[in-house]
Amino acid sequence: MTDLSRIRNVAIVGTHHSGKTTVAEAILAFTGAIARRGSVADGTTTTDHEPECIAHAQSTTAGFAHCTADGIVHITLADCPGFIDFFEETKQVLAGVDAAVVVVDADPSRVAHSLSVVEYLESRRLPHLFVINKMDRPGADFEGTLNALQSAYGRHVVAEQWPIGAAESFEGFVDLTDMKARRCDGDRESIAAFPESLRERIASARAQMLEAIADFDDHLLEELLEGAEPPLDEVERDLCAECSHDQIVPVLACAAATGAGIAALVRAIVTWLPSPADAPQLDVEGREIAPDADAPAVARVIKTMVHPQSGKLSMVRMIAGTIKPDATLNDLSRGDEKVRCAGLFRLQGKKQEALAQAGPGELVALARLETVSTGDVLTGNGRTVMLAHAPIADPVFAAAIKPKERMDEARLSQALSRIVDEDPALRTQRADVTNELLLLGSGEQHVTIAVERLSRKYKVDVEIAAPAIAYLETITVPTEIHSRYKHQTGGHGQFGDVWLRFEPRERGSGCAFAETIVGGVVPRQFIPAVEKGVFEALLHGTSGFPVTDVQVTLFDGQYHDVDSSEQSFRVAAGMAVRDALPKCKPVVLEPIVRVRVEVPSAFTSAVIAQLTGKRGQILGMTSSERTGFDVVEALVPHVELSRYITELRTATQGLGSYTWHHERYDPVPITKAVGPKAVV
Ligand SMILES: Nc1nc2c(ncn2[C@@H]2O[C@H](COP(=O)(O)OP(=O)(O)OP(=O)(O)O)[C@@H](O)[C@H]2O)c(=O)[nH]1
Ligand SMILES: [Mg+2]
C-alpha cells in the first residue's frame, strides 16, 4: 500500500504558451522518469502526445505523466492546456488533484492572462505556487512579473527565490529561505558564491517573504519584531504548512527549456505542496472523505479518452478504497448503474502501464467503462457519496457540421457522440429553423480541434461552416387574394378556388390560419387542405426564408362537385400565398440576441465600441460581482456574433466572456443583403 504522504497530484496550469508542457517534460527528465527530454517544437514531449497537440505545437487536451522524486515521493502531473478555449477541461482535471503549479512567462504584461485559472484555484482553495518560466529568454523580467503577480493576487504571493542574472546570463538563483546561491547547469544545481551586487535587493525580498509568512505565525512575527534572525527550520516549516494550506503562494524562477530551476521546483512540489493525506477530498457538504484504503471505493472521473481501437479510458482520482483491474463499481451519477472495469493503468503520456491495484490518492485510468462520463462519481459496495460538481460553462461558439459524403451521415452522428463523450464542454444540437447540425464548444479553436480529432479518429471527412442565421420573413401590409387551380387531365379534373386574406400579426406571435366560410362555398372537408397548402407555402417566402407573424383567413371560395379534392384546394392555397406575399411589402427579419458581456473594467469601453460596431444597442453597464470586472448588456443581431468570442477574447487578453439568449426578431436594415435571395 502506498504511503499517502508520499503522493503528490499536481496540475500544471497557467497562461497559454508559458511553458507548462516544457516544465512537465523537464520534471520527468530530471527525476529520471524519461530517458530523454522531448520538445514541443519537435512534437516529442510526453504529455503533448495527441496528434492535434503535435500539429498545433500546443496542448489541446490534458496529458498525464508520473515520476518519483528522490526515490520516494510519487508525483503525478496533469499538464493542462493553457489556451482559454480548453479551460473547461482544466476545471474538471483540477477537481482530481491536490495542488497546482502555475507557470507564467517572465513577462509582466502576460500575467493578466493567468487570471481565470488563478481565480478558479483561489475559489477552490487549491494550494498552488507560481513558477516564472523562460528566464533564459531575452527581456526576461522576474521582478516586474513578481510585482504584477502581487498586484493581481495579493501580498501573500511572495518570492522564495531570487534569480541571478536573466536572459543569456541567467545562471541560477538565491534561495531566500537558506540564503544560499545555487548555480544551475542544465537541471543540476551546485552551491555558488553569493551575488554581492544583489545583496540589498535579495535582503528586501527575503524580508517581504518572512513578513508574509509571519502573518500566519505569531511566533515568527515576534522574532521579526525583535529583529531576531528566525531559525531556518522554522521558516521552512512555516512555508510548508502555509503553502499547503493555500495561505502563502511562493514564487520560483526557472528556464524549463534548459532545465535550470527544475530541481528546486521538484523540491518545492515535494516539500510544500500537500499530499492526499494533508488535504482529503471533500464531499458536497464540505465533509472530509477519509482516504481509507480499506473502505469501499470512491472515485471521481476527471477526464475521458476514447481510442478508436483500444476503447475508452476514464481517468479517475481515487478518493477512498482500493480497486483491482476488474472492479465492479456503481456509477452514482447514472442512477447507480453497475459498471465493470476491463483494465487499470497508470499513464505516462500515451503509454499505459498496467497496475494490479490502485488506492486512495492515486490518479489512474480505468478501461472500457462505456457508459461513464467525465464528472461521474464511482463507488464500490453500494457506497453513497455526494461530490460537488465542477460546472461546465455553456458553449459560446458554434459551427455547422456535415459529412463531405452524404452516406457518412450515420457515421458522423456516431463519431460526434464519442467526441462529445470525451469532452463534456462540447455539445451537438439541431438548429431550429435552419435544421443544421451544430457542434458547439468553448471557442473557435476548441471546435476546430474537435473536428480534426473526429476526422482523425473516426475517419469521417466533414465540412464545417459558420451556422446559417435563422432569418425569417414577414409582411407589413394586408391584402386579399383570389386563387383558382383548375386542371383537366382526362378523367377527373382538379378544381380549387379560394379567397384568402393576409394580415400582419404581432411580432413573435407566429402564423395563424382561420376561416369564415359560410354556406359551404368551400366544403368543410377541404378546409384542412387549404390550411396545409397555406402553411407549406409559408415555409418559403419571397426571400426564401420561412414566413412568420401572418394571419391568413379563408373567407370565400368555390368548389366543383366532381373535380374538387383536397389536393386541388391545397395547390390553390399555395398559389394564393405565393401571389399574395409580394403584394404585402414583405421584409426579412433577423434574430436579435441579448448578450451579457463580462470584462475587466480596463476593457469596458473597447468592448462597448466593439458591440456598437456590430450594430449593437447598448442596454446598460454595471459593475460585476467579480472584482475589477464590468457587465455590459446589449442587443445585437445574431449574424454579427458568429466569431464574437474570438474577437472578445482578442480585445480583452482572453479575459472577456459572454452569455446570450435569443431576444426577438427585427427587420433587417434596408441596406443589408442576406441570402438565399439578397434583399435590398
Ligand atoms: N526559451 C525558452 N523557451 C521555452 C521555455 N519553456 C518553454 N519554451 C517554449 O515556449 C513554447 C511553449 O511551450 P509549451 O511548453 O508548449 O507551453 P505550454 O504552456 O505548455 O503551452 P499550452 O499548453 O499550449 O498553453 C515552446 O516553443 C517552448 O519551446 C523556456 O524556459 N525557455
Ligand atoms: Mg502545454
Side-chain angles (χ1 to χ4, degrees):
M1 193 65 52
T2 320
D3 174 355
L4 282 186
S5 66
R6 294 186 182 176
I7 294 179
R8 300 289 178 279
N9 296 310
V10 181
I12 305 188
V13 297
T15 44
H16 180 40
H17 251 54
S18 55
K20 298 174 290 299
T21 301
T22 311
V23 164
E25 192 71 6
I27 293 175
L28 297 175
F30 171 73
T31 53
I34 53 172
R36 204 176 148 269
R37 185 146 47 105
S39 85
V40 173
D42 299 343
T44 50
T45 62
T46 310
T47 49
D48 269 3
H49 58 83
E50 196 185 47
E52 287 72 36
C53 295
I54 296 169
H56 294 267
Q58 70 165 49
S59 304
T60 50
T61 182
F64 295 85
H66 67 102
C67 60
T68 305
D70 305 329
I72 31 177
V73 177
H74 187 254
I75 304 172
T76 299
L77 299 172
D79 171 22
C80 296
F83 196 65
I84 189 72
D85 280 27
F86 305 107
F87 186 43
E88 296 307 312
E89 165 140 325
T90 298
K91 278 159 55 179
Q92 299 302 316
V93 170
L94 286 173
V97 297
D98 304 302
V101 166
V102 186
V103 182
V104 293
D105 299 81
D107 174 355
S109 71
R110 305 245 325 134
V111 163
H113 292 263
S114 61
L115 190 67
S116 301
V117 74
V118 174
E119 272 189 359
Y120 191 76
L121 296 175
E122 287 173 349
S123 72
R124 316 283 296 192
R125 304 236 38 211
L126 201 63
H128 53 286
L129 56 83
F130 284 105
V131 184
I132 298 180
N133 185 35
K134 303 192 186 179
M135 281 302 300
D136 60 322
R137 289 274 299 265
D141 178 2
F142 178 84
E143 191 166 356
T145 309
L146 175 68
N147 291 338
L149 288 171
Q150 287 173 332
S151 52
Y153 308 122
R155 65 180 295 270
H156 293 111
V157 174
V158 282
E160 197 278 336
Q161 289 178 349
W162 201 264
I164 306 172
E168 66 279 9
S169 62
F170 176 56
E171 286 172 21
F173 58 90
V174 171
D175 184 320
L176 301 183
T177 310
D178 64 11
M179 287 296 266
K180 289 199 174 120
R182 288 173 169 86
R183 198 190 148 74
C184 298
D185 182 9
D187 58 15
R188 303 290 135 188
E189 276 177 10
S190 53
I191 300 295
F194 194 89
E196 289 305 329
S197 61
L198 295 174
R199 188 169 284 281
E200 228 172 277
R201 186 65 201 87
I202 288 174
S204 104
R206 180 169 202 259
Q208 194 184 48
M209 177 187 84
L210 292 178
E211 276 169 30
I213 297 176
D215 279 351
F216 306 95
D217 179 354
D218 291 345
H219 183 255
L220 179 64
L221 184 63
E222 266 170 43
E223 283 171 331
L224 295 182
L225 289 174
E226 286 162 10
E229 178 58 29
L232 178 60
D233 64 340
E234 182 183 17
V235 177
E236 279 175 346
R237 210 178 40 241
D238 279 359
L239 250 180
C240 173
E242 293 173 18
C243 178
S244 73
H245 288 97
D246 189 33
Q247 293 164 320
I248 284 287
V249 184
V251 181
L252 307 179
C254 80
T258 67
I262 292 299
L265 173 59
V266 171
R267 259 197 321 273
I269 291 174
V270 168
T271 49
W272 302 337
L273 297 186
S275 76
D278 302 320
Q281 298 261 314
L282 305 178
D283 72 8
V284 76
E285 277 162 21
R287 288 177 302 225
E288 289 186 357
I289 304 171
D292 178 357
D294 300 322
V298 179
R300 178 202 283 273
V301 182
I302 59 166
K303 177 162 170 61
T304 305
M305 295 151 269
V306 180
H307 192 279
Q309 278 82 45
S310 59
K312 184 160 165 176
L313 276 185
S314 304
M315 194 73 194
V316 301
R317 161 65 191 260
M318 289 296 298
I319 298 172
T322 304
I323 57 169
K324 300 238 155 61
D326 60 352
T328 297
L329 299 164
N330 293 341
D331 187 345
L332 297 190
S333 315
R334 264 154 240 286
D336 244 357
E337 186 184 338
K338 277 211 180 329
V339 292
R340 195 180 152 98
C341 308
L344 176 64
F345 305 97
R346 178 165 283 148
L347 299 185
Q348 189 67 299
K350 66 180 166 196
K351 265 192 251 146
Q352 301 171 10
E353 302 166 358
L355 293 174
Q357 62 173 37
E362 297 196 68
L363 278 172
V364 291
L366 308 181
R368 295 193 181 272
L369 299 179
E370 297 307 336
T371 54
V372 168
S373 300
T374 303
D376 285 5
V377 180
L378 309 174
T379 61
N381 290 354
R383 183 170 178 179
T384 310
V385 176
M386 298 274 281
L387 300 184
H389 263 305
I392 294 172
D394 284 338
V396 284
F397 182 83
I401 179 166
K402 63 175 186 199
K404 281 195 178 138
E405 306 291 335
R406 266 204 85 142
M407 61 195 188
D408 278 346
E409 239 156 62
R411 282 180 57 216
L412 173 62
S413 72
Q414 211 175 30
L416 276 173
S417 70
R418 304 226 87 185
I419 287 284
V420 172
D421 191 18
E422 260 188 285
D423 182 347
L426 287 171
R427 314 242 170 100
T428 55
Q429 184 182 306
R430 260 300 152 200
D432 295 342
V433 183
T434 63
N435 206 33
E436 285 180 322
L437 182 59
L438 303 181
L439 181 60
L440 303 100
S442 315
E444 201 166 347
Q445 209 181 100
H446 183 216
V447 170
T448 315
I449 297 230
V451 169
E452 285 177 26
R453 192 178 288 144
L454 180 134
S455 299
R456 167 179 63 86
K457 285 190 173 178
Y458 304 104
K459 311 274 178 277
V460 192
D461 275 338
V462 294
E463 283 170 358
I464 56 169
I469 297 297
Y471 290 107
L472 296 174
E473 181 177 315
T474 193
I475 60 172
T476 54
V477 294
T479 196
E480 289 180 356
I481 280 282
H482 174 228
S483 168
R484 171 174 291 182
Y485 178 56
K486 190 172 172 201
H487 203 59
Q488 207 62 49
T489 48
H492 261 310
Q494 307 257 19
F495 184 92
D497 183 298
V498 291
W499 274 94
L500 295 178
R501 184 177 307 120
F502 292 79
E503 295 159 295
R505 291 187 87 205
E506 196 186 331
R507 186 72 36 80
S509 59
C511 291
F513 176 83
E515 51 88 11
T516 54
I517 295 298
V518 282
V521 289
V522 176
R524 289 277 119 207
Q525 72 267 29
F526 297 141
I527 292 180
V530 175
E531 180 174 359
K532 196 167 176 201
V534 165
F535 278 108
E536 278 170 357
L538 287 175
L539 288 176
H540 303 282
T542 55
S543 55
F545 300 120
V547 179
T548 189
D549 305 339
V550 176
Q551 172 70 50
V552 184
T553 310
L554 169 69
F555 64 92
D556 202 355
Q558 283 182 39
Y559 73 102
H560 184 278
D561 280 341
V562 180
D563 291 346
S564 280
S565 64
E566 286 183 4
Q567 172 64 6
S568 43
F569 273 98
R570 195 172 133 209
V571 174
M575 284 163 47
V577 171
R578 281 186 288 278
D579 288 348
L581 290 176
K583 297 189 169 67
C584 296
K585 297 209 172 136
V587 289
V588 172
L589 297 175
E590 63 177 341
I592 305 291
V593 300
R594 180 187 279 256
V595 292
R596 183 182 185 280
V597 189
E598 195 174 51
V599 280
S601 310
F603 301 113
T604 305
S605 54
V607 163
I608 289 177
Q610 203 179 39
L611 288 169
T612 314
K614 294 180 171 302
R615 299 191 279 135
Q617 178 198 340
I618 307 297
L619 299 175
M621 195 272 284
T622 48
S623 298
S624 165
E625 282 174 6
R626 200 173 164 192
T627 316
F629 279 65
D630 287 333
V631 172
V632 179
E633 292 211 42
L635 294 176
V636 190
H638 196 181
V639 65
E640 304 285 345
L641 294 177
S642 66
R643 297 191 65 233
Y644 184 51
I645 189 63
T646 312
E647 295 159 359
L648 176 65
R649 285 175 181 159
T650 307
T652 60
Q653 297 193 333
L655 297 172
S657 60
Y658 81 104
T659 54
W660 65 276
H661 64 260
H662 174 78
E663 177 82 5
R664 60 169 193 241
Y665 271 91
D666 274 355
V668 173
I670 210 82
T671 49
K672 276 268 163 206
V674 290
K677 287 184 200 161
V679 278
V680 199

